[in-house]
Amino acid sequence: MSALQRSGDGQGTADGTFSSLRTQLQEAAAEFAGGPDALEGILLGIVDDVDRAVREPLEIFPVCHHSPASALAMARRLREKQPKVVYLELCEDMAPLLTELRNCRLPVAVQAFASEVDGFPAEWSPLSVVAPVTEASAEYQAIAYALDTPGVELVLVDRSSDHVFQWDARARRAGEPAGADAPPAEEEAALHGDAVGVEIGDLRPRFAALEEHLLRHGRVRHWSEWWHQYVELPLGDSDHDTYRQVMLLIGSLFRRLAPGDAHRVRVDEDRERYMWTRMRAHLAASGTDPEDCLYVCGAFHAASRVAEFGVDGTDTFVIEPRTATTWQHGLIPSSHAAIEAQFGLAGGSVSIAATQWAKNLKRTGVRPYRLDGQAGTKRSKAKKTAVPAVPAPTAPASDRLTGFLRRPPVLDHLDEAELLGWSVDIVRAARRGGYLASTADAIAVFETSILLAGMRDRARPTPYDFQDAAVTCIEKDVVPGRRDVRRLVEIMMGGDRVGQVGYDALPPLARDVHDRLAPLNLKLQQRGVQRALLDIAGRPELEACSDVLWILRRLMPQGAVRPIMGERTLGERSIQESWDLSLGTHQRTLIELGYEGVSIEQVLEQRLRRSAYGPQATAATVLAAVEDATLYLSSRRLADELGGHALAVLTTERGVDGAPEVLQRVRRLLAYYRTSEPVLPPWIESFVKAGYAHYCTLLPTAFTDEDATVRQVAAMLGFLFSMEGLALSLGCDRTQLELAVAQSHPQDPEKVALLWSAQTHLGTLTRAELGRRCDALLGNPLVVPSYPRYLSGFLHALVPLPALTEFVVEAVSNAFARLPDPVLLPWLPRLISTLRGSGAELAPLLIREAGRIFPGRLAALDEWVPPWRMRQGAQTGFTPPPGDGPSGPRGAALLAAHPATCDALAALLGCDPTWQPAAPGPRATTLLDRHPSTARALEALLTGP
């Protein structure tokens, strides 16, 4: 490294290009520091870096990402130099995609994607690398020039997408913290997802103290505003040599003052070694003169000091081979907000840069390069000309840094028309947003913008000054609409422009989706929500569109494809459907599906297999895959394969966590196959048979296991009882279930109630005995506080035993009638949560049974006697008091209405069939009046002698 610096010093001294600047910086360092020290070394080292880069035979063009000044200087230089080869700092494996940019509306991002990894940790999957491209960027100017100019070759020289993660894995193995190339912890813009952003031309100080110093003395709030004020505007009208030397100066300054992050420094230097190694190899293979080439890279990398720098650098860097990971490449839509999040820029800065780019073109008259046929641009009518054989000679670069650094800042004159237009527009936008803004606010914004600019030592307010003034004058305590004033200014300055990938640039899967949904006659690439109406009964051809939409709903995130009317369940198809589609908004997700397969059916099948055969797969997840394969793919082959795997997974499970979901899915699949197939598939018969034995084995342990919930045990019993008929027909033995229940001895009240319900079903406990046990619990003061837990167990018992609904209604009613409020009220939340958890199955049963038992009118409730109390009275000889039932004879009403039965019985017994008129008053004592001896004998028995 020191040898390279001495070489740079010698060149500078011999040529004298920057000798005057060196002398001045050396004197300034001695004056401020009191003698030679590190400051002098840094200042002179910066000049050496600039001198070295300027002297390189292969012209280095330093850029800043999404900088209008860099794009303008690039367009000028390309028209002057007309290089034959353009080397670009971009992942070399992304080169084939660049021709598809002409089919897109910028901004878009070039993406490398890998869903299955080979050579990287599995938890990193999926891998994604993105490089955004906007029109106001030097990279796009270089790409458009190279692709549309005959005889020009574009060569991408940066590390491949595979090496991005290779070097990150290398750092992790070495125990170093991941640097800038690690995936961001928080992603503010969803369009790039969780991808690693390739920071092409990123130029921002890595020394926090330096950035804080620049912001404080520049009187700005954030780095984007500083760059706009002190770099963009001064370099917008500068010549090529001045622009180049200033950018090299900034890159060297930031590089020399960067902190010693070992991983980041190593990655930066390895990238520079990688790029120079690739360029020298291309020059040697093609025989191109370096004078006919242009190297476009970030200013940070342009001031490189590695030994491999330059066409005469060493060739000691060894490029590791790529891993076996298969990478897919494509274009995804990007946006200004996504770029700002990727590069850590202030909100709205990319939109302001796009506005500045348009103003620069109009002011300077420079004709930019645009890809022929680019969406959103006019087709160029100029005839293409070949690159001249001998490019125009260029004069040696002179020292432009001295004059630039000594020149005072140029204060632009106030453009009152522009500022007035901004003030009027923001007031109009604020009114639409719900603010009570008026003409007075527009005047206030205008004057405040000028005031803020003057306080910050600039005559012309920048968009950032105007934004602060608008917030000060219009913003209120409460935002009345969806957007605040700061966001309204960003929209007014250009807004968050979102790019779009054209149809021709989409992967085959995305194009296939658009083709299959063409009968809907919708603009699917348009952003926003569109309503699709499908009358499948009237237009049978729309059924294919319905199939596509249901699969997309399964594959894409919520909101991309949302059904409004219609549903798809096993064995059912809707004849009319209504959908809300926003495929244009979720274009990135649709494109990434194309990396996984050539059709959505293939992608869905791969995902189902991945979930079913994954290391964390359970019987429930495999059955879910079987259901989806039947529901969306109508694939009996795949369903049978996954069903067989579900059987193997079930037999290896030692817990019952998935029992509720297994029960639900098996019930649905059985109901579907019984109604749609002549015979059951062999796999589901084997699954029921194996599940019966499996859950019988686990049942005693589950009853006593504290980790097994009552819901899970109830699901096990539901499987055993509901599948019992099929299991016994397949050769299972019911004795196994009886032994499992007999060996169960739970202590938890909920599980005890569940066990009693199972014993009632098996016949070892009668319904009457079950009722007496519940009455005994209510009669025991020590057990009353825990009685609601028994009721919760009975509620869960409805899952395996719906026939207990009448008993559960009776038990709950008795609890409400007899439990004290301190016990009853705390139990109500448990009751509600139980019904909510299984409400789809339990609530209808309870409501229907309660509606059958309870009276339908409120007036009849006072005279109503519960049927279980009538049964208890019949068993114990209890007669309800007069107040417990309606007055008048209730039992004789049916006999009086149909006397023939009584007459026949009287004739059979030899009695006179004579009917007496009904007398008012109670009739229960008539029999005692006729036969008093029975009552006297009972009295003597009870009273004794």
Side-chain angles (χ1 to χ4, degrees):
M1 191 66 66
S2 59
L4 292 174
Q5 293 177 355
R6 289 194 298 270
S7 175
D9 293 341
Q11 290 177 354
T13 304
D15 184 74
T17 303
F18 296 100
S19 58
S20 175
L21 180 60
R22 280 195 182 87
T23 302
Q24 297 179 36
L25 292 177
Q26 192 170 12
E27 294 174 354
E31 180 179 354
F32 286 106
D37 64 349
L39 176 61
E40 179 181 349
I42 292 175
L43 294 178
L44 296 182
I46 292 174
V47 179
D48 293 340
D49 293 340
V50 176
D51 190 17
R52 184 185 185 204
V54 169
R55 289 176 172 275
E56 176 61 35
L58 196 161
E59 180 177 338
I60 303 173
F61 194 95
V63 300
C64 176
H65 197 44
H66 304 299
S67 167
S70 295
L72 190 67
M74 174 63 71
R76 286 173 173 167
R77 186 55 180 165
L78 290 173
R79 295 195 183 278
E80 293 173 359
K81 183 179 179 65
Q82 292 288 311
K84 296 180 180 179
V85 178
V86 177
Y87 297 111
L88 183 61
E89 179 193 341
L90 188 63
C91 294
E92 58 186 1
D93 55 326
M94 295 181 177
L97 289 174
L98 298 182
T99 57
E100 297 295 337
L101 287 175
R102 68 179 75 252
N103 298 319
C104 305
R105 185 175 68 243
L106 301 180
V108 296
V110 187
Q111 182 184 37
F113 187 89
S115 57
E116 297 181 359
V117 297
D118 187 355
F120 300 109
E123 59 270 16
W124 289 14
S125 177
L127 306 179
S128 181
V129 179
V130 297
V133 179
T134 63
E135 187 176 356
S137 63
E139 295 84 2
Y140 176 74
Q141 295 299 308
I143 292 171
Y145 162 78
L147 295 182
D148 282 353
T149 305
V152 176
E153 184 179 4
L154 178 65
V155 182
L156 306 186
V157 294
D158 200 0
R159 55 181 176 165
S160 67
S161 305
D162 196 88
H163 286 93
V164 171
F165 291 94
Q166 277 193 42
W167 293 356
D168 187 61
R170 179 182 61 186
R172 294 173 186 266
R173 288 193 299 268
E176 300 172 354
D181 296 308
E186 295 182 2
E187 187 64 44
E188 299 176 6
L191 286 179
H192 291 178
D194 296 328
V196 175
V198 178
E199 299 180 352
I200 308 173
D202 178 38
L203 199 57
R204 183 169 183 166
R206 300 180 183 175
F207 190 26
L210 174 61
E211 182 172 347
E212 181 183 356
H213 175 82
L214 294 175
L215 297 183
R216 184 175 66 254
H217 288 276
R219 299 181 181 180
V220 294
R221 291 173 297 124
H222 45 71
W223 174 251
S224 300
E225 185 176 358
W226 186 94
W227 182 267
H228 174 84
Q229 178 65 27
Y230 295 100
V231 180
E232 284 294 333
L233 297 181
L235 291 183
D237 296 324
S238 62
D239 60 275
H240 169 66
D241 290 336
T242 302
Y243 165 83
R244 188 182 176 199
Q245 293 175 23
V246 170
M247 292 295 289
L248 290 170
L249 172 70
I250 297 174
S252 177
L253 174 65
F254 291 168
R255 188 184 190 97
R256 287 183 177 271
L257 294 183
D261 185 344
H263 170 66
R264 189 163 187 176
V265 171
R266 182 179 182 182
V267 168
D268 288 334
E269 293 181 349
D270 283 352
R271 289 179 65 185
E272 293 155 7
R273 296 185 179 100
Y274 194 107
M275 289 187 285
W276 280 109
T277 301
R278 290 301 194 198
M279 285 187 284
R280 282 194 299 272
H282 180 270
L283 290 173
S286 62
T288 307
D289 188 353
E291 295 290 341
D292 297 331
C293 303
L294 187 68
Y295 171 35
V296 182
C297 67
F300 190 89
H301 297 294
S304 174
R305 292 172 290 167
V306 297
E308 290 79 3
F309 179 89
V311 294
D312 298 326
T314 61
D315 285 323
T316 58
F317 184 70
V318 178
I319 299 177
E320 302 94 341
R322 302 180 187 180
T323 66
T325 300
T326 302
W327 289 88
Q328 305 288 336
H329 297 83
L331 297 171
I332 62 173
S334 184
S335 67
H336 290 173
I339 297 172
E340 290 160 1
Q342 176 176 327
F343 289 91
L345 304 177
S349 58
V350 178
S351 300
I352 294 174
T355 304
Q356 185 67 31
W357 162 251
K359 292 171 62 176
N360 288 346
L361 294 180
K362 184 177 181 180
R363 185 184 73 253
T364 61
V366 174
R367 186 161 55 93
Y369 287 95
R370 291 188 177 95
L371 288 171
D372 190 21
Q374 182 77 60
T377 62
K378 296 181 180 179
R379 182 178 295 274
S380 175
K381 297 182 180 179
K383 184 177 180 180
K384 296 180 182 179
T385 58
V387 178
V390 180
T394 57
S398 59
D399 180 12
R400 302 297 179 90
L401 280 178
T402 304
F404 182 86
L405 294 177
R406 299 182 62 179
R407 184 179 64 193
V410 178
L411 298 178
D412 293 341
H413 65 280
L414 174 63
D415 190 345
E416 293 188 359
E418 180 186 54
L419 185 57
L420 281 173
W422 287 355
S423 302
V424 173
D425 290 341
I426 189 57
V427 169
R428 183 184 299 113
R431 286 175 179 172
R432 289 196 299 264
Y435 289 92
L436 298 178
S438 62
T439 306
D441 293 315
I443 299 174
V445 172
F446 178 85
E447 297 295 341
T448 306
S449 300
I450 299 175
L451 177 62
L452 288 176
M455 295 172 61
R456 296 166 179 172
D457 292 335
R458 40 185 180 254
R460 182 176 184 174
T462 65
Y464 300 98
D465 297 327
F466 171 76
Q467 187 179 56
D468 292 341
V471 172
T472 302
C473 299
I474 302 177
E475 189 73 76
K476 303 298 186 294
D477 294 338
V478 178
V479 178
R482 294 187 299 116
R483 302 182 179 95
D484 57 9
V485 175
R486 188 174 301 279
R487 178 59 181 154
L488 292 176
V489 174
E490 294 175 6
I491 295 174
M492 190 189 72
M493 291 293 177
D496 184 16
R497 298 181 185 175
V498 180
Q500 184 184 76
V501 180
Y503 175 85
D504 295 331
L506 292 174
L509 179 143
R511 292 199 301 267
D512 179 63
V513 169
H514 284 275
D515 293 342
R516 295 168 67 177
L517 295 179
L520 299 179
N521 297 322
L522 297 176
K523 298 180 180 178
L524 297 178
Q525 288 191 316
Q526 180 178 332
R527 293 181 59 83
V529 179
Q530 302 179 72
R531 179 63 58 87
L533 302 176
L534 283 70
D535 183 11
I536 301 176
R539 297 179 58 190
E541 66 274 10
L542 295 181
E543 186 174 2
C545 297
S546 174
D547 296 337
V548 174
L549 293 176
W550 283 110
I551 296 178
L552 290 177
R553 180 178 179 267
R554 173 64 172 75
L555 295 175
M556 299 186 70
Q558 185 178 9
V561 179
R562 186 166 62 95
I564 304 300
M565 181 182 69
E567 62 177 355
R568 174 161 293 192
T569 57
L570 290 175
E572 296 183 4
R573 294 292 186 271
S574 302
I575 60 174
Q576 287 185 338
E577 294 178 351
S578 177
W579 295 81
D580 275 352
L581 307 180
S582 55
L583 294 179
T585 305
H586 296 81
Q587 192 180 49
R588 178 187 67 86
T589 307
L590 182 61
I591 291 173
E592 290 183 350
L593 288 180
Y595 301 153
E596 302 182 43
V598 296
S599 67
I600 53 177
E601 288 82 4
Q602 181 186 5
V603 173
L604 180 57
E605 180 173 345
Q606 290 176 355
R607 290 192 179 183
L608 293 179
R609 291 181 183 275
R610 193 179 304 122
S611 64
Y613 290 94
Q616 304 298 327
T618 62
T621 57
V622 180
L623 288 177
V626 174
E627 189 173 346
D628 288 343
T630 305
L631 191 61
Y632 300 114
L633 300 178
S634 300
S635 175
R636 179 66 181 273
R637 170 192 55 82
L638 180 61
D640 290 347
E641 176 188 344
L642 297 179
H645 182 62
L647 173 62
V649 173
L650 178 67
T651 56
T652 60
E653 290 184 350
R654 293 298 177 263
V656 295
D657 295 342
E661 187 176 355
V662 169
L663 173 62
Q664 294 176 3
R665 296 192 180 279
V666 169
R667 280 178 173 176
R668 284 200 296 265
L669 289 170
L670 271 175
Y672 168 73
Y673 286 128
R674 282 170 173 166
T675 56
S676 61
E677 301 286 345
V679 294
L680 292 176
W683 74 265
I684 200 168
E685 293 182 347
S686 302
F687 188 90
V688 170
K689 183 177 179 180
Y692 189 85
H694 179 71
Y695 285 133
C696 283
T697 303
L698 297 179
L699 188 61
T701 304
F703 264 114
T704 57
D705 188 2
E706 295 181 356
D707 295 332
T709 64
V710 63
R711 180 171 177 264
Q712 295 169 354
V713 179
M716 296 174 61
L717 292 174
F719 186 95
L720 295 172
F721 293 157
S722 60
M723 309 293 168
E724 186 177 14
L726 179 59
L728 295 180
S729 66
L730 296 174
C732 294
D733 190 358
R734 195 169 193 265
T735 307
Q736 187 176 7
L737 175 59
E738 294 174 349
L739 291 175
V741 173
Q743 293 172 359
S744 302
H745 305 287
Q747 300 296 325
D748 185 75
E750 293 179 335
K751 294 181 180 180
V752 169
L754 195 60
L755 178 62
W756 290 350
S757 303
Q759 292 173 346
T760 302
H761 174 76
L762 295 177
T764 57
L765 183 67
T766 63
R767 183 74 63 87
E769 179 62 25
L770 182 61
R772 286 192 292 271
R773 290 187 180 183
C774 292
D775 290 337
L777 294 175
L778 282 174
N780 188 343
L782 300 178
V783 184
V784 165
S786 62
Y787 184 73
R789 299 187 62 188
Y790 287 92
L791 290 181
S792 298
F794 286 127
L795 287 174
H796 283 97
L798 293 180
V799 174
L801 300 171
L804 285 178
T805 306
E806 182 181 359
F807 173 79
V808 173
V809 171
E810 174 185 341
V812 173
S813 301
N814 285 334
F816 276 93
R818 299 177 60 180
L819 287 178
D821 289 346
V823 176
L824 182 62
L825 294 180
W827 172 63
L828 292 180
R830 180 187 293 270
L831 173 64
I832 295 174
S833 61
T834 301
L835 293 176
R836 179 178 296 178
S838 304
E841 297 83 8
L842 303 185
L845 294 174
L846 294 174
I847 294 173
R848 184 167 55 249
E849 185 64 23
R852 186 184 67 84
I853 294 176
F854 287 89
R857 296 181 178 274
L858 183 61
L861 188 62
D862 295 335
E863 302 175 350
W864 175 72
V865 177
W868 51 86
R869 295 190 63 182
M870 298 296 295
R871 288 196 300 269
Q872 293 173 357
Q875 296 173 2
T876 62
F878 169 74
T879 301
D884 286 358
S887 59
R890 292 171 55 89
L894 185 63
L895 297 178
H898 304 280
T901 304
C902 291
D903 293 343
L905 182 59
L908 180 63
L909 297 176
C911 300
D912 184 15
T914 302
W915 289 86
Q916 295 182 0
R923 306 289 296 170
T925 59
T926 304
L927 189 62
L928 297 178
D929 294 339
R930 289 186 179 182
H931 306 280
S933 58
T934 305
R936 294 192 185 97
L938 179 60
E939 180 183 7
L941 179 64
L942 295 177
T943 58

